[in-house]
Amino acid sequence: NHADAGYPDAFSKRWAGLTFDRLDAAAYFSNGHAYFFRDDEYIRYDTVLWRADAGYPKSIVSNYVEDWKFFE
């Protein structure tokens, strides 16, 4: 009934480029990306290369159409 020694650990130690210090939500889609959300921003994470995509975090509202086209 306890966490292993050294935990909790920073996201950045295990997820390259994930700069958030906490998460509000996360989602994985079969397009090879996971999405990590905090407040009004998100980071798109490449689950093949195991790193955050360049240019993130981005605003959820102003980038909604650009990154979410695959839902159409």
Side-chain angles (χ1 to χ4, degrees):
N1 294 336
H2 65 278
D4 289 341
Y7 289 91
D9 204 355
F11 295 119
S12 60
K13 287 187 176 183
R14 305 206 181 270
W15 299 83
L18 190 57
T19 57
F20 296 153
D21 62 348
R22 65 176 173 80
L23 296 176
D24 294 327
Y28 171 76
F29 296 97
S30 60
N31 67 350
H33 287 96
Y35 296 82
F36 296 93
F37 300 88
R38 178 176 176 225
D39 297 329
D40 62 349
E41 294 184 315
Y42 71 102
I43 293 175
R44 187 177 67 194
Y45 197 89
D46 188 316
T47 59
V48 175
L49 300 175
W50 293 102
R51 65 177 184 213
D53 289 335
Y56 290 84
K58 288 185 177 181
S59 167
I60 294 170
V61 174
S62 62
N63 292 288
Y64 178 80
V65 173
E66 175 187 333
D67 269 357
W68 302 89
K69 290 179 198 171
F70 65 89
F71 285 114
E72 294 178 350

